């Protein structure tokens, strides 16, 4: 598997070619480079998967393959290699990133036609995939951090792609700033890990965490900093406010960020370093609580959104909450499988929403659509399958096979760990499933049925329907057939599986069935509310109580307003009192020092030959005096 580096190199070369060519490249050439580079990376990942399975068959004790490329830097005793590590977990991530990412690239080649900056868009897209591959394949946490920052940069560039609109620029800045807060916590965690282990080699930390992190305080703070870093990338409370505003970018960007790449990084990190978190069990409980609160807040927010992409954005936040609930309950494999299935159906939903937006002349307000079913039954089928998977419709959608496993594990953990809080978290998860069914039906009903409010524009093209068709198939029970291979990969990577004691199996199955039943009740309630009693719903929404609740939910419980009050306004007050921005003032010290140093070293550069000769002569005299003095001293 010495070719493993190609999964990074192909999209990186694509980025360089597209960035260098920019406006000189035609749309066709840009699409061939942008889509083709990720396609080659996906084929390389597929070939690596075959090789990996063969290696596992030959030696079942082998955990992974390591490829040392070069020494990145060496400072004192701190040496960081640029090396790649492929095990079951990184292979799963590689397949998801390049596979789903390739389908999104194919769709984007159709969606972005005629847009200004077509080649620039694909250059950012390719760099995004390359950065994410560095993140998941890096054999040390320094390299992971490089990829981590790379996807942060690319998210900024892509969210603000339509930079002519100032609102899009502010959305990009917001996403970049909020995720940087999480990155500071992650950097602190890396310092703590290096202090304890003397290395940032990932495998060393995983294998020796139980013997090195014996100080409970160090383990607590290290695990907490790691999770806060993960929460920033994966939009968990309190660092979730950037995700909905990330919808400012083109729709394929939303699909790539929300389905296959950036937001999954936090789930990957916490699962990869599971042994560190197991040394701080109180942090595991905290992770589950944060995930549960996040999914509930996002569920209520999605209920009242009118922008089709913001509804899906909050649903992403909610599903990530389920994944972190799984991590906190030590059901890592269940969380990672849901991450994979979510990549399928959320990419399907976002790309389908992009097609809907184009069909309605770039309209994103669902209440200005309507009647799409009679014009495009293919898009309805895609939305119905994706929405069914999101709501975890039993037996026929892939979401059922992954989400209910998480709820069952959380329910069982209450007894296994003797922590009743997990019982409460289970019911929060069930409530989230109930809300998901309601807002998913609302979205589909309003867009595809009722009165048509905007004229429909026909859409066609193989690069439009082919990616959607593949994702639609993977979002059904067909995608659930991947569960066994995924479990094999994660077992080979020594990611712990959640084992339900025999005496709890009946109770856990009952809990899973209860969750399914309540989700179906939510679906029935959605039908009642939006098909048969919609006038009553509108009347309630227009009351003072309804307006107030809607405002709270639509603002996702006012976190933006809270942060504006606590952080932004006090800072603006300080700038007014000082008459300048204090941070800018600090940074201006650096150019002032450079400018002063330049003046000090250049004041004698007069261009007068006699002065230069005199300076040389004076220097020789000084050197002779120093030489004579030292010789006499000897």
């Amino acid at each position: 598997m010495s070719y493993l580096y190609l999964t990074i190199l192909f999209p990186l070369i694509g980025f360089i070619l597209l960035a260098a060519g920019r406006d000189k490249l035609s749309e066709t050439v840009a699409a061939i480079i942008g889509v083709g580079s990720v396609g080659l990376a996906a084929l390389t990942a597929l070939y690596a998967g075959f090789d990996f399975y063969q290696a596992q068959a030959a030696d079942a004790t082998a955990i992974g393959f390591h490829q040392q490329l070069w020494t990145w830097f060496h400072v004192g005793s701190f040496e960081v290699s640029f090396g790649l590590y492929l095990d079951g977990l990184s292979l799963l991530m590689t397949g998801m990133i390049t596979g789903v990412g390739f389908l999104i690239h194919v769709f984007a080649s159709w969606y972005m036609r005629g847009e200004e900056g077509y080649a620039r868009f694909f250059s950012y897209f390719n760099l995004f995939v390359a950065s994410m591959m560095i993140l998941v394949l890096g054999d040390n946490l320094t390299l992971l951090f490089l990829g981590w920052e790379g996807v942060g940069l690319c998210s900024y560039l892509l969210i603000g792609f339509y930079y002519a609109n100032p609102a899009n620029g502010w959305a990009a800045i917001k996403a970049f700033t909020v995720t940087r807060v999480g990155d500071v916590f992650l950097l602190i965690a890396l310092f703590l890990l290096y202090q304890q282990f003397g290395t940032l080699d990932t495998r060393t930390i995983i294998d020796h965490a139980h013997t090195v992190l014996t100080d409970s305080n160090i383990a607590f703070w290290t695990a907490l900093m790691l999770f806060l870093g993960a929460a920033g990338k994966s939009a968990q409370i309190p660092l979730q406010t950037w995700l909905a505003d990330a919808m400012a970018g083109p729709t394929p960007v939303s699909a790539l960020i929300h389905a296959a790449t950036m937001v999954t990084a936090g789930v990957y990190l916490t699962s990869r370093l599971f042994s560190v978190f197991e040394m701080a069990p109180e942090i595991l409980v905290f992770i589950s609580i944060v995930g549960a609160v996040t999914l509930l807040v996002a569920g209520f927010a999605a209920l009242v959104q009118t922008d089709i992409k913001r509804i899906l954005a909050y649903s992403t936040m909610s599903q990530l909450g389920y994944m972190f609930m799984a991590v906190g309950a030590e059901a890592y494999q269940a969380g990672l499988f849901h991450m994979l299935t979510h990549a399928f159906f959320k990419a399907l939903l976002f790309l389908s929403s992009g097609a809907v937006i184009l069909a309605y002349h770039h309209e994103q307000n669902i209440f200005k659509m309507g009647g799409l079913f009679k014009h495009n039954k293919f898009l309805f089928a895609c939305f119905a399958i994706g929405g069914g998977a999101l709501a975890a419709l039993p037996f026929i959608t892939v979401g059922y096979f992954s989400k209910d496993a998480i709820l069952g594990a959380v329910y069982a953990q209450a007894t296994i760990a003797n922590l009743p809080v997990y019982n409460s978290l289970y019911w929060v998860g069930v409530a989230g499933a109930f809300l998901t069914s309601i807002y998913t039906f609302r979205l589909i009903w309003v867009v595809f049925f009722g009165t048509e409010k905007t004229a429909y524009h026909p859409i066609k093209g193989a690069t439009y329907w082919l990616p959607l068709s593949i994702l639609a198939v993977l979002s059904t029970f067909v995608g659930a057939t991947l569960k066994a291979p995924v479990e094999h990969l994660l077992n080979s990577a020594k990611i712990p599986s959640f084992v339900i004691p025999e005496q709890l199996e009946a109770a856990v199955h009952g809990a899973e069935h209860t969750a399914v039943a309540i989700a179906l009740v939510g679906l029935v309630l959605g039908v009642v509310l939006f098909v048969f009693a919609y006038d009553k719903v509108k009347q309630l929404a227009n009351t003072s109580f309804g307006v107030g609740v809607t405002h709270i939910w639509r603002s996702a419980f006012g976190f933006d307003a809270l942060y504006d009050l606590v952080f932004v306004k006090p800072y603006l007050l300080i700038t007014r009192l000082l008459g300048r921005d204090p941070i800018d003032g600090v940074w201006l010290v650096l150019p002032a020092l450079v400018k002063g140093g330049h003046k000090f070293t250049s004041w004698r550069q007069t261009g007068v030959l006699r002065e230069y000769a005199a300076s040389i002569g004076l220097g020789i005299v000084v050197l002779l005096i120093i030489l004579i003095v030292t010789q006499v001293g000897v």
Side-chain angles (χ1 to χ4, degrees):
M1 280 184 271
S2 57
Y3 53 82
L4 188 59
Y5 68 94
L6 293 176
T7 57
I8 300 172
L9 186 61
F10 282 136
L12 195 58
I13 291 174
F15 159 70
I16 294 171
L17 293 175
L18 290 164
R22 295 291 285 268
D23 298 332
K24 299 175 183 177
L25 300 175
S26 68
E27 288 188 347
T28 301
V29 172
I32 291 172
I33 295 173
V35 177
S37 63
V38 178
L40 290 172
L43 289 174
T44 306
L46 181 63
Y47 189 61
F50 285 125
D51 275 1
F52 185 84
Y53 268 99
Q54 289 179 347
Q56 286 285 309
D59 183 7
T61 61
I63 297 178
F65 169 79
H66 184 258
Q67 183 180 20
Q68 177 77 26
L69 296 176
W70 64 80
T71 298
W72 187 6
F73 58 84
H74 189 174
V75 180
S77 61
F78 184 46
E79 181 176 337
V80 176
S81 67
F82 203 104
L84 308 180
Y85 182 74
L86 184 72
D87 65 355
L89 176 55
S90 53
L91 179 59
L92 170 65
M93 297 295 298
T94 298
M96 183 184 76
I97 294 162
T98 59
V100 178
F102 171 68
L103 295 176
I104 295 171
H105 273 68
V106 171
F107 184 89
S109 68
W110 168 81
Y111 184 90
M112 296 298 294
R113 286 282 176 176
E115 294 277 4
E116 183 181 354
Y118 190 86
R120 175 169 61 91
F121 172 84
F122 275 103
S123 69
Y124 297 161
F125 240 34
N126 279 191
L127 183 60
F128 206 132
V129 172
S131 299
M132 193 69 190
M133 292 304 301
I134 292 173
L135 191 158
V136 300
L137 286 177
D139 68 348
N140 60 81
L141 296 181
T142 310
L143 202 53
L144 177 146
F145 192 73
L146 174 66
W148 192 276
E149 293 304 300
V151 296
L153 170 64
C154 293
S155 68
Y156 167 77
L157 295 172
L158 287 166
I159 293 168
F161 180 76
Y162 298 126
Y163 58 85
N165 185 342
N168 296 339
W170 283 114
I173 291 171
K174 180 179 181 181
F176 190 78
T177 304
V178 174
T179 53
R180 290 295 75 69
V181 174
D183 295 353
V184 171
F185 291 119
L186 177 58
L187 200 56
I188 293 171
L190 299 191
F191 291 147
L192 292 171
L193 287 169
Y194 182 74
Q195 181 190 47
Q196 296 300 306
F197 291 87
T199 181
L200 289 178
D201 178 74
T202 307
R203 197 72 247 172
T204 301
I205 293 172
I206 296 169
D207 292 340
H208 297 96
H210 292 92
T211 56
V212 174
L213 292 176
T214 54
D215 186 323
S216 59
N217 286 329
I218 292 293
F220 175 90
W221 287 108
T222 303
L224 179 61
M225 294 298 106
L226 282 172
F227 171 63
L228 290 176
K233 275 290 185 287
S234 295
Q236 297 296 285
I237 288 175
L239 299 175
Q240 84 289 3
T241 56
W242 66 271
L243 193 67
D245 291 318
M247 298 302 97
T251 304
V253 172
S254 304
L256 192 64
I257 290 177
H258 287 239
T261 56
M262 181 170 167
V263 297
T264 64
V267 181
Y268 168 76
L269 177 67
T270 50
S271 299
R272 170 62 82 190
L273 298 179
F274 68 91
S275 58
V276 174
F277 289 96
E278 287 181 345
M279 299 305 293
E282 59 272 39
I283 296 299
L284 285 173
V285 178
F286 177 67
I287 291 173
S288 280
I289 292 172
V290 170
V293 173
T294 301
L295 74 88
L296 203 57
V297 168
F300 281 116
L303 273 177
V304 295
Q305 300 300 316
T306 58
D307 186 306
I308 187 171
K309 290 170 63 178
R310 288 181 76 88
I311 296 170
L312 296 177
Y314 281 115
S315 77
T316 296
M317 192 188 305
S318 180
Q319 298 308 302
L320 288 165
Y322 282 106
M323 296 174 210
F324 280 104
M325 279 180 66
V327 169
E330 300 181 71
Y332 306 102
Q333 293 196 14
L336 289 168
F337 184 56
H338 190 56
M339 178 187 69
L340 177 65
T341 64
H342 177 262
F344 297 152
F345 65 76
K346 188 50 62 68
L348 173 63
L349 285 169
F350 264 115
L351 296 185
S352 298
S353 73
V356 170
I357 290 168
L358 285 189
Y360 281 122
H361 308 278
H362 295 279
E363 180 58 65
Q364 294 184 202
N365 188 331
I366 62 174
F367 291 101
K368 294 182 180 180
M369 299 177 182
L372 184 55
F373 175 77
K374 63 184 178 183
H375 295 296
N376 197 321
K377 292 179 175 58
F378 172 72
L379 269 183
F380 170 74
C382 291
F383 249 96
I385 293 170
L390 175 61
L393 290 185
F395 310 119
I396 59 174
T397 64
V398 73
Y400 162 75
F401 295 94
S402 57
K403 185 189 289 185
D404 284 352
I406 293 174
L407 293 175
V410 172
Y411 181 86
Q413 191 70 341
T415 302
I416 296 171
N418 193 27
L419 290 171
V421 66
Y422 283 106
N423 258 330
S424 301
L425 296 178
Y426 161 78
W427 286 108
V428 172
V430 171
F434 176 77
L435 294 174
T436 301
S437 295
I438 297 175
Y439 69 68
T440 302
F441 179 81
R442 169 182 176 263
L443 168 62
I444 295 174
W445 178 261
V446 171
V447 171
F448 289 92
F449 299 95
T451 305
E452 183 177 335
K453 302 175 184 67
T454 301
Y456 171 77
H457 172 72
I459 52 177
K460 59 183 179 179
T463 49
Y464 139 65
W465 60 259
L466 184 59
L468 295 182
S469 300
I470 295 171
L471 290 168
V473 172
L474 291 173
S475 298
T476 65
F477 61 89
V478 174
T481 60
L482 295 173
K483 186 173 184 180
V486 167
E487 289 177 347
H488 173 76
L489 288 175
L490 297 178
N491 286 332
S492 70
K494 307 302 181 186
I495 303 296
S497 59
F498 189 85
V499 179
I500 299 173
E502 187 176 345
Q503 63 271 24
L504 287 178
E505 287 183 356
V508 169
H509 289 318
E512 291 175 351
H513 295 156
T514 299
V516 171
I518 293 178
L520 291 175
V521 169
L523 181 61
V524 172
L525 181 60
V527 173
V528 172
L529 292 176
F530 298 105
V531 179
F532 300 106
Y534 189 51
D535 289 338
K536 299 291 185 183
V537 172
K538 288 193 291 186
Q539 288 176 13
L540 177 61
N542 289 327
T543 63
S544 57
F545 172 79
V547 170
V549 170
T550 301
H551 176 72
I552 293 171
W553 290 357
R554 186 166 290 158
S555 65
F557 290 81
F559 277 88
D560 279 321
L562 175 64
Y563 294 159
D564 186 61
L565 180 65
V566 174
F567 298 111
V568 178
K569 289 183 177 177
Y571 186 79
L572 292 177
L573 177 62
I574 292 172
T575 60
R576 283 195 293 269
L577 292 175
L578 296 178
R580 64 186 305 174
D581 188 324
I583 292 181
D584 284 350
V586 172
W587 284 111
L588 287 174
V589 171
L590 296 177
L593 289 174
V594 172
K595 188 176 180 180
H598 169 73
K599 286 184 176 180
F600 178 76
T601 55
S602 63
W603 70 279
R604 293 304 304 155
Q605 303 300 314
T606 62
V608 179
L609 184 61
R610 286 177 296 178
E611 291 186 5
Y612 291 165
S615 297
I616 293 171
L618 180 61
I620 292 173
V621 171
V622 171
L623 289 174
L624 287 173
I625 292 173
I626 293 173
L627 181 63
I628 293 171
V629 170
T630 53
Q631 290 296 324
V632 171
V634 172

